[in-house]
Amino acid sequence: MHASMYENGSSKSKVIQIANEENAAQKISRILKGTPDIGVMAKKIRDTNGVIDSDEPLERKLRCIVNGLPPVFCFPENLRIMVHMDDFTFSTKDFKEEKCRLSFPILVHGKPRGQLTLCYSESMDHPDEISFNEFERMISGGFVEALGLATERKEDEDALMGSEELYHLLFNASRDAVLMLAFDSTLKPVSIIEANDCALELLGYSRDELKTLTLADLSSKASVDHSRKAMKKTLSDREGRFETVMLGKDGREMTIEINAHIFEYKGKPVTLCVLRDLSEKRRTETALHESEAKFKTLCDNMIDLISEVDMNGIFSFVSPSHELVLGYSPDDLAGRCIFDFLHPVDADRMKAIVMDSIGKPGFGKLEIRFKHAHGYYVWLESIGKVRLNSNGSPVGVVITGREITERKKIETELKAERDFSTAIIDVAQAMVMVFDTKGTIIRFNRASEKVTGFSEQEAVGRNLFDLFMGSLGDESIQRGKKIFAEMLGGTQTIYYESHWRKKDGSPLTITWSATTLLDDHQRIQYIIATGIDVTGQRGAEAAIMERLKLEGLLNRISASAVRIDDLSRFLTYALKDMGETMETSRAFIIEFNVPKKTMSQTYEWLAPGVSPDNQIWQDIPISSIPADYDAMMRDEVVVFGDVEKDHYDPVLREMLLREDIRALLSVPITLGDEPFGLLGFDIVGKTRNWRKEDVDLVMAIARILGHVIEREKKEEMLKIKDTAIEMSINSILFANPDYKIIYVNKAFLIGTGYKSKEEIIGKQIMEFFPNSADEDRIKKALRKEGFIVTRTSMKKADGSNVEVEVAITAVTDSKGNLQMFMGSSIDVKGLQGHLEKK
C-alpha cells in the first residue's frame, strides 16, 4: 500500500491508493462469476460483506469490496473506482475524475454517509463517447448497498461490544453489593449466577462460593420466609424493595435493604439485587433518637435560646424559650426567615458572617437585635456553629443565644460616661492619672504613656508606689504615701513634686496638681492628678506652674460638671474660675438665636474694676459679625492677640476698641452637632499673647460646658412636659402595648373618683369602658389608624358611668415601632362643677 496527496478545489484530501488485495478480491470474484442474471448478481454483490471476517476493521472491509469490483467487470483496464466514506477516501490506482463518471450515494441506516464514483481514465481514445449501460449501473448499485451494509454491521458490532464492556465495568464498579439470581422452570430464584466485588467483601464469600448458594442460604432463620415472600412479590411486580437480615460467612447478622429488579439477560429472566448494609444506619438512628430525646428535654427546660436555620436563614428548629424571651412560639417562627426579624444593620452583618463561616466551625459571639412579638427590639448575644451533612457540605447553622438587653443598656450608659471622662483626660497635654483610695491606677492617659514609657495596659491595675517608686527606697515611698494620705484626709487640691522611675529605669521628676472626686455620699472615690515632667527643666518653673494652674482649672470644672444642681450657678462659678485663673478682664457666654438670626450675652464674669457690657450684647444681629459667626459655625477658634492690628472686621474692631478691649479669645459651644453659642474671654487695656495651651484648655472647657448645657436642657424640658401633663385639666393616661395602664394624672383621679394612682396603675384601659362594642371599636381603630376620637361612657370607681370625650393615640418610635398608648378624656360638665366647688 502506498499513498499520495492531491489538490481538490480549496481543500486538501488524503487519497490512499490501494494495491490489489488478492485474497478478498478473488473471493468476491468467485461469487460473482457464472451469474448471468443481473438481479442475482446485484444481490450477490450486496451480500459480499459476509465473505470477510467479522472482526476485520471497517476500513479493511471497504478496501476489500472496492478492490474486488474491477475483476467482476470485463471492462478496459482504464476503469477507475473511488469510495469516499466519512473522513477517509479509498481509490484504485491512478484515480482521477474525468468527464465520463458515474456516482452512487452510500446509505448507512438510511442516511447518506459517503459516495461511490466510477470513471474512465483520460487514456481512452474517445472518452466523450463512453457511457455506462444498465448492467454496469445495476452492478455498481449492488456494490453501493454492500458498502452500506458492511458499515452498518461493523458499527452495530462495535456498539454491542462497548455495551457489554460498559455493563461489566459498571457492575463491578458499583459501590453497593450486587447479586444476580437465576430462576428455575417455575420462575423461582434458585442460585446466584453473578456477584460484584462489593458483594464478596460484604458477605465474606468468594465468587465461586456464592454461585453455589441461594438467597435463602444467605438469610437468617427468622428472615427466610420474609425474604421468600418479598421475592415472590418482586417477581409479580417486576421490581421490589424490602429489608431482611442476612448472614455473612463468619456468621454475623446484618440488616440489609434489597432493591430487586426483574429483566431479561441472554434471553432468560434474572433478578438483579442491590444490597445495602443498614446495620450501622440502624445503630446510628437509635443513638440519634436517644440524643434527640435528651436534647429536647434540655431545650424545653433552659432559658437560653437554641435554634437552627438553613443556609438561607429559614428556621428549622426553635426552642420553647423563644416564647418566654421574644414572645414567639416555635410554631410562630417555623419556616420563617431569621433575617426578617433582625434589625436591618444586624441582618446584613449576620448574613456576611454566616457566609464567611462556611468552611469554618462557626462564628464567635455576635450581638444582634431581634424584633420582639410586641414590636420592639431585644438585644441577644449569639454563637453559631455550622452543621455539615455526610458529604461535608454546609446545610445549616445552629445558633445559641441569650438576652442581654439590660446589659447593653448599662454598657451604653457606662460608655457615655467613659467617653466623657476620656475626652476630658486625653485632651490634656499633661500627664493625667486617676487613682482609687488604695493608690491603684484606674486611668492612664496618652501623655502618661509617653513620659513614663509604660503603656496603659501595663499601668492600669498596678499600685502607683510599687510601679514608679519601688526602686527609689522607703523614704521616697513614705513621702509619696504621706501626700496621698493628706488628700484622703480632706485636702481638696494639693500641689507637690515627686521623683519617679521610668520603665527603662531612668529618673523622672514630676510636678503634680491633684484633686479629689466625691461619690454620692460625699466620700472620696477617686483622686485625679495632673502632672508635668520637669526633669531637666528647673529653669522653666514659672511656665510649669502656670500650666499646672490651667490643668487644675480643667480638673475643677470637670469634677464640678459631674453633678449639677443649678445650671446658672455652675456656669457663673465656671466663668469666675476661668477668668481668675487665666487672668482675663471678662469671661462670658454668648448664645445664638438662629431662627431670629440674633445673639445675646447670657452669662458674664468681670474682673475687679471692669465695667459690664452685657447690656450692649443683647439681640445683636448675627449679620453684624459675619466672619466671626461663620468661624463659629465651622467649629473654629477666633483669636486676636492685638485687636487693633489683627481684627479683620472694621465695624467690630471699632466696637471692641470703644470698650478698650485689646485682646480677644472665643471658641464655639455646641450641643451635640448643633451650634449653641460661644465661650469668650477679653482683656481690657492691654494685648495678650494667647498660648496654644490657653486655646486647648478653653476648647476642652467649651466641650464640657456644651455637654452640661445639653444635659440640663433635656432634663428641664422633661420636667416641663411632666408638669404640663400632671396639671392638665384633661384626664390623661399612658398604657403599654398590652393596654395596661402605667400612668394617670390628677385630672384622671378626679374624673373617675379614685383616691390614689396606685388603685389604677396596672389596670387595663378597656376596664373603664363598660360597653364591649366600644372596646372592640376602639381597638380596631387603634390597629388600623393608630388613633381614635369618640364619645363614650367611662366607668367610675363607684360603678357609675359618665359620658366623656375620649382621644387615644398609639405612640411609636422613629422607626414606627409601637411604644405605648396615650389617652385623653374630659367630662366637661362634671369637671367644671368640681372646679366651681374648689
Side-chain angles (χ1 to χ4, degrees):
M1 182 187 300
H2 64 275
S4 65
M5 300 292 296
Y6 78 97
E7 297 289 330
N8 182 9
S10 61
S11 63
K12 291 185 177 182
S13 175
K14 186 174 182 180
V15 179
I16 303 177
Q17 297 181 337
I18 308 169
N20 288 336
E21 301 271 353
E22 292 297 336
N23 294 334
Q26 289 174 4
K27 288 181 180 180
I28 298 174
S29 298
R30 283 198 302 271
I31 294 173
L32 297 178
K33 285 180 179 179
T35 309
D37 184 80
I38 293 177
V40 174
M41 184 178 293
K43 184 177 183 302
K44 286 188 176 183
I45 292 173
R46 184 189 63 193
D47 295 336
T48 52
N49 61 319
V51 304
I52 303 173
D53 294 338
S54 61
D55 59 351
E56 289 280 355
L58 178 61
E59 296 180 12
R60 181 172 173 79
K61 280 189 174 185
L62 295 175
R63 286 203 306 271
C64 291
I65 293 174
V66 170
N67 290 327
L69 183 60
V72 176
F73 302 108
C74 298
F75 292 149
E77 294 182 356
N78 52 5
L79 177 66
R80 301 290 182 261
I81 302 170
M82 181 180 71
V83 176
H84 179 75
M85 285 289 291
D86 294 335
D87 57 347
F88 53 86
T89 302
F90 296 104
S91 69
T92 54
K93 213 169 187 180
D94 300 329
F95 175 85
K96 290 184 180 179
E97 293 193 30
E98 305 296 339
K99 292 182 180 180
C100 185
R101 58 193 296 271
L102 182 64
S103 297
F104 293 89
I106 301 173
L107 302 179
V108 179
H109 294 296
K111 296 182 180 180
R113 289 277 296 278
Q115 180 174 282
L116 170 70
T117 302
L118 297 91
C119 65
Y120 289 96
S121 68
E122 59 185 0
S123 61
M124 294 194 63
D125 295 337
H126 302 287
D128 294 340
E129 299 175 2
I130 300 299
S131 63
F132 294 93
N133 57 36
E134 182 181 358
F135 175 78
E136 294 168 339
R137 293 176 182 273
M138 179 67 72
I139 296 300
S140 300
F143 264 98
V144 167
E145 188 173 357
L147 290 173
L149 291 174
T151 302
E152 288 179 6
R153 180 174 178 181
K154 182 60 178 174
E155 289 181 350
D156 291 344
E157 290 173 352
D158 291 343
L160 179 60
M161 181 65 70
S163 64
E164 288 282 343
E165 293 176 354
L166 179 60
Y167 161 73
H168 286 290
L169 177 63
L170 293 176
F171 186 76
N172 280 307
S174 172
R175 297 177 63 180
D176 292 322
V178 183
L179 299 177
M180 189 179 293
L181 309 181
F183 294 88
D184 60 12
S185 58
T186 62
L187 295 181
K188 293 182 179 180
V190 292
S191 64
I192 298 171
I193 60 175
E194 190 58 82
N196 70 347
D197 295 340
C198 285
L200 304 183
E201 182 180 353
L202 175 66
L203 300 172
Y205 292 97
S206 68
R207 187 171 276 104
D208 291 338
E209 289 173 329
L210 279 177
K211 289 183 178 180
T212 65
L213 303 175
T214 66
L215 187 62
D217 296 331
L218 297 174
S219 301
S220 67
K221 292 182 179 181
S223 302
V224 171
D225 290 340
H226 171 69
S227 298
R228 285 174 176 167
K229 291 178 181 178
M231 286 302 298
K232 183 177 181 180
K233 187 176 186 305
T234 298
L235 183 62
S236 173
D237 297 341
R238 306 296 294 178
E239 63 179 4
R241 176 179 294 182
F242 59 93
E243 289 186 15
T244 186
V245 178
M246 299 183 72
L247 299 176
K249 184 177 181 180
D250 57 4
R252 73 186 189 280
E253 291 189 351
M254 298 170 286
T255 302
I256 301 295
E257 179 188 69
I258 298 179
N259 193 353
H261 293 269
I262 310 297
F263 66 98
E264 297 289 330
Y265 180 68
K266 295 184 179 180
K268 297 180 180 180
V270 297
T271 301
L272 186 70
C273 296
V274 179
L275 314 182
R276 184 163 297 171
D277 186 2
L278 303 180
S279 304
E280 185 62 31
K281 179 181 178 183
R282 291 291 178 263
R283 287 192 291 270
T284 302
E285 288 175 350
T286 300
L288 180 61
H289 289 322
E290 294 175 354
S291 176
E292 287 177 345
K294 293 179 181 178
F295 178 72
K296 186 176 186 303
T297 302
L298 179 63
C299 289
D300 289 347
N301 293 277
M302 69 185 307
I303 298 177
D304 284 358
L305 308 174
I306 299 179
S307 62
E308 182 177 2
V309 298
D310 63 18
M311 300 311 293
N312 294 317
I314 304 302
F315 282 108
S316 57
F317 172 79
V318 179
S319 65
S321 52
H322 282 69
E323 187 165 11
L324 176 64
V325 177
L326 299 172
Y328 301 100
S329 68
D331 291 339
D332 293 335
L333 296 178
R336 303 283 298 279
C337 182
I338 187 174
F339 302 120
D340 294 339
F341 296 89
L342 299 184
H343 189 282
V345 175
D346 298 336
D348 294 339
R349 184 161 54 96
M350 189 168 185
K351 287 178 184 177
I353 291 174
V354 170
M355 295 306 297
D356 183 62
S357 65
I358 296 177
K360 301 177 182 178
F363 56 84
K365 289 183 179 179
L366 176 65
E367 294 181 354
I368 56 176
R369 285 159 289 185
F370 199 104
K371 182 178 285 186
H372 192 278
H374 288 157
Y376 58 87
Y377 282 100
V378 175
W379 276 100
L380 302 178
E381 181 182 78
S382 300
I383 298 175
K385 181 175 178 60
V386 176
R387 188 169 68 84
L388 308 177
N389 62 13
S390 58
N391 297 324
S393 300
V395 294
V397 181
V398 178
I399 303 172
T400 59
R402 61 180 54 186
E403 183 183 5
I404 57 169
T405 303
E406 190 62 28
R407 191 185 83 188
K408 290 295 292 184
K409 180 180 178 182
I410 295 173
E411 287 177 355
T412 301
E413 294 173 354
L414 291 176
K415 183 178 183 301
E417 291 297 328
R418 185 168 58 251
D419 292 345
F420 177 67
S421 301
T422 300
I424 295 173
I425 292 174
D426 283 342
V427 75
Q429 298 298 314
M431 300 169 63
V432 177
M433 298 186 191
V434 181
F435 314 104
D436 65 12
T437 55
K438 295 181 180 180
T440 303
I441 300 172
I442 305 300
R443 295 301 304 272
F444 197 77
N445 76 340
R446 296 184 188 130
S448 300
E449 290 181 320
K450 183 177 180 181
V451 172
T452 66
F454 289 97
S455 67
E456 182 180 12
Q457 289 77 13
E458 294 171 320
V460 171
R462 299 283 300 276
N463 185 274
L464 75 97
F465 304 110
D466 297 337
L467 184 62
F468 299 112
M469 302 182 187
S471 61
L472 297 177
D474 291 340
E475 184 178 349
S476 295
I477 295 177
Q478 292 304 321
R479 182 171 179 272
K481 289 185 176 180
K482 181 181 178 181
I483 296 172
F484 201 80
E486 290 181 15
M487 295 291 297
L488 297 178
T491 305
Q492 185 175 5
T493 304
I494 192 170
Y495 302 95
Y496 66 98
E497 184 176 290
S498 64
H499 300 284
W500 284 11
R501 289 285 185 187
K502 299 174 68 173
K503 184 177 181 179
D504 60 8
S506 57
L508 190 63
T509 302
I510 304 174
T511 300
W512 293 100
S513 170
T515 188
T516 56
L517 180 64
L518 307 180
D519 61 15
D520 294 335
H521 304 287
Q522 299 302 303
R523 294 177 300 195
I524 296 175
Q525 185 176 17
Y526 298 114
I527 294 176
I528 303 175
T530 304
I532 300 294
D533 178 13
V534 295
T535 307
Q537 299 178 17
R538 285 291 175 251
E541 288 291 339
I544 293 172
M545 294 306 295
E546 182 65 26
R547 177 68 174 272
L548 288 175
K549 282 177 24 179
L550 297 180
E551 299 298 341
L553 169 65
L554 180 62
N555 287 340
R556 291 192 298 276
I557 292 179
S558 300
S560 302
V562 175
R563 296 178 181 86
I564 297 173
D565 296 324
D566 188 316
L567 177 62
S568 179
R569 186 166 62 245
F570 166 75
L571 294 177
T572 301
Y573 159 78
L575 290 177
K576 179 178 183 296
D577 200 359
M578 287 186 287
E580 291 177 345
T581 302
M582 298 176 63
E583 298 180 359
T584 63
S585 302
R586 294 187 184 90
F588 52 89
I589 294 175
I590 291 179
E591 185 175 348
F592 299 140
N593 189 329
V594 177
K596 292 183 178 180
K597 297 182 180 181
T598 61
M599 57 183 179
S600 300
Q601 183 171 289
T602 53
Y603 295 92
E604 181 183 47
W605 169 84
L606 302 173
V610 178
S611 59
D613 63 354
N614 57 351
Q615 297 301 321
I616 300 175
W617 290 90
Q618 297 298 316
D619 298 322
I620 300 297
I622 291 175
S623 58
S624 63
I625 55 167
D628 290 2
Y629 178 76
D630 290 344
M632 295 294 107
M633 293 299 100
R634 295 192 300 270
D635 202 25
E636 295 177 358
V637 178
V638 176
V639 182
F640 298 107
D642 188 337
V643 172
E644 187 172 9
K645 293 181 179 180
D646 300 337
H647 207 293
Y648 42 75
D649 188 337
V651 176
L652 184 56
R653 180 174 62 232
E654 182 63 24
M655 185 186 304
L656 295 173
L657 291 177
R658 275 202 306 267
E659 299 295 322
D660 200 21
I661 297 174
R662 301 292 174 172
L664 177 67
L665 168 62
S666 60
V667 298
I669 300 176
T670 58
L671 306 186
D673 295 328
E674 298 297 325
F676 170 80
L678 62 87
L679 170 63
F681 304 87
D682 62 35
I683 298 178
V684 175
K686 58 181 179 180
T687 60
R688 173 77 169 267
N689 180 24
W690 300 104
R691 298 169 303 168
K692 184 178 183 300
E693 292 85 349
D694 299 327
V695 176
D696 291 342
L697 176 72
V698 173
M699 290 182 66
I701 293 175
R703 283 195 288 270
I704 295 172
L705 297 183
H707 180 80
V708 170
I709 294 170
E710 182 180 19
R711 184 180 66 197
E712 294 299 309
K713 281 184 174 292
K714 288 181 178 179
E715 292 179 358
E716 181 181 358
M717 185 58 66
L718 289 175
K719 291 178 182 178
I720 293 174
K721 290 180 179 178
D722 290 345
T723 302
I725 293 173
E726 184 67 20
M727 299 307 296
S728 172
I729 63 172
N730 285 12
S731 296
I732 297 176
L733 63 80
F734 292 101
N736 66 15
D738 293 328
Y739 300 99
K740 185 179 291 184
I741 298 173
I742 58 177
Y743 167 82
V744 295
N745 68 347
K746 290 181 180 179
F748 195 92
L749 290 177
I750 296 172
T752 58
Y754 284 90
K755 296 180 180 180
S756 67
K757 296 182 180 181
E758 287 73 17
E759 295 178 80
I760 301 176
I761 302 300
K763 289 180 177 292
Q764 290 285 325
I765 294 179
M766 300 309 168
E767 291 183 33
F768 292 89
F769 301 115
N771 190 332
S772 60
D774 285 346
E775 177 180 346
D776 294 339
R777 182 168 53 86
I778 291 172
K779 286 186 175 181
K780 182 177 179 181
L782 290 175
R783 285 194 300 269
K784 183 177 180 180
E785 305 294 340
F787 68 92
I788 183 173
V789 179
T790 184
R791 182 179 292 273
T792 184
S793 296
M794 183 169 8
K795 185 178 180 181
K796 300 178 67 173
D798 59 5
S800 62
N801 295 331
V802 60
E803 291 294 320
V804 294
E805 191 78 21
V806 176
I808 303 178
T809 184
V811 180
T812 60
D813 59 17
S814 59
K815 296 181 175 59
N817 299 316
L818 179 63
Q819 299 298 305
M820 65 177 70
F821 293 104
M822 184 178 77
S824 175
S825 64
I826 186 168
D827 172 12
V828 178
K829 181 179 180 181
L831 184 59
Q832 185 175 11
H834 177 77
L835 293 176
E836 290 174 354
K837 291 180 181 179
K838 288 289 185 178

